[in-house]
Amino acid sequence: MELKDKVCIVTGAASGIGLAIAKRYAAAGGKIAIADLKIEAAQAAADGINADHPGQAIAVAMDVTQEDQVNAGVQQVVDAWGTVDVLVSNAGIQIVNPVEQFAFADWKKMLAIHLDGAFLTSKAVLPHMYKQGSGTVLFMGSVHSKEASPLKSAYVTAKHGLLGLSRVIAKEGGPKGVRTNVICPGFVRTPLVDKQIPEQAKELGISEEDVIKKVMLGQTVDGEFTTVDDIAEVALFLAAFPTNALTGQSLVASHGWYMN
């Protein structure tokens, strides 16, 4: 599937899943805005893409919890390339703690990045998509959009919330040619997941090896992590899908951890 000359914004794209999606989109012909809190890392990622696909990537400084930064970043992309065709709301963090020990400030931070970020970026790009009568909005959900795990109250709540936001945008945007879907990965071996391994081992009183084998991968069909490239392929499929036949949906990629 191709994204030739489609203008794509990927948040949290300086590393991890976001960077893999940005690279895959560029290989499919897209023009990619690497939107990230860390502008130096975003510029390095854009430079790397441009080395293989000249002129197809720019770096955009964006804190997705700040409306003025989101609006300014989207305008920067529109000024450069005229519109926005694809948004991938991918920026996210993880904080783990039991509910009774979960700091309210951490709860608010988690929901701000995952939910407020999805809302603000969508709000900023939708007028451009509506104007041209086409567009795709993708949210980075999780198996935790469907399931719950101990220690992840804020993350699970936020990821469940993305399903609702996606469905509302699908209803509102469908008549205007805009589709929205949620990608729901299983455990992907990124720095975000690596950080959780010792944290969960400590909280659960088990070894790091057991966190990986029993907690993270115990319910998969093959004991394998999902890869960033797996998720990038899903993101390409959903971004390039041509009709409203596939909108308001969630696609799980988890090596069979969750099946629906």
Side-chain angles (χ1 to χ4, degrees), residues 65 90 98 123 131 234 249:
T65 71
N90 167 76
K123 182 181 178 183
K131 182 179 179 180
V234 173
Q249 304 302 313

Side-chain angles (χ1 to χ4, degrees), residues 3-221:
L3 290 176
K4 183 171 175 55
D5 295 328
K6 296 294 185 182
V7 177
C8 310
I9 297 175
V10 185
T11 69
S15 62
I17 292 173
L19 179 56
I21 292 172
K23 289 179 176 178
R24 187 66 186 92
Y25 281 8
K31 298 177 179 178
I32 318 302
I34 307 288
D36 203 279
L37 189 63
K38 301 175 181 177
I39 186 58
E40 296 85 2
Q43 187 61 59
D47 290 344
I49 290 173
N50 284 327
D52 295 323
H53 308 282
Q56 285 183 226
I58 60 172
V60 177
M62 187 182 292
D63 179 343
V64 297
T65 71
Q66 301 299 313
E67 187 172 16
D68 57 345
Q69 286 197 35
V70 170
N71 290 343
V74 170
Q75 190 59 52
Q76 179 184 338
V77 176
V78 173
D79 289 344
W81 287 324
T83 190
V84 180
D85 297 294
V86 178
L87 167 68
V88 182
S89 176
N90 167 76
I93 63 167
Q94 180 62 280
I95 300 172
V96 296
N97 256 321
V99 170
E100 73 276 13
Q101 297 176 23
F102 214 102
F104 187 37
D106 287 343
W107 170 272
K108 290 189 287 186
K109 181 179 181 179
M110 289 286 289
L111 267 61
I113 293 171
H114 291 272
L115 278 179
D116 293 356
F119 167 74
L120 289 173
T121 51
S122 298
K123 182 181 178 183
V125 303
L126 283 173
H128 302 286
M129 294 179 177
Y130 289 166
K131 182 179 179 180
Q132 68 191 13
S134 65
T136 298
V137 175
L138 299 178
F139 296 137
M140 191 56 64
S142 167
V143 166
H144 287 106
S145 297
K146 314 275 189 174
E147 273 284 358
S149 290
L151 311 179
K152 297 184 177 181
S153 55
Y155 188 81
V156 171
T157 299
K159 294 304 189 183
H160 273 66
L162 291 176
L163 297 179
L165 179 59
S166 174
R167 291 163 183 164
V168 170
I169 296 174
K171 293 280 190 179
E172 293 181 356
K176 302 172 184 178
V178 174
R179 294 169 294 286
T180 177
N181 292 289
V182 183
I183 302 169
C184 297
F187 282 103
V188 180
R189 198 70 186 263
T190 64
L192 189 72
V193 167
D194 283 337
K195 177 177 178 289
Q196 295 176 56
I197 294 170
E199 292 173 344
Q200 292 204 40
K202 180 180 178 180
E203 288 289 345
L204 297 172
I206 60 178
S207 69
E208 292 186 15
E209 183 179 5
D210 279 345
V211 170
I212 294 171
K213 289 185 176 181
K214 296 179 180 180
V215 176
M216 292 184 168
L217 304 180
Q219 300 304 310
T220 64
V221 298

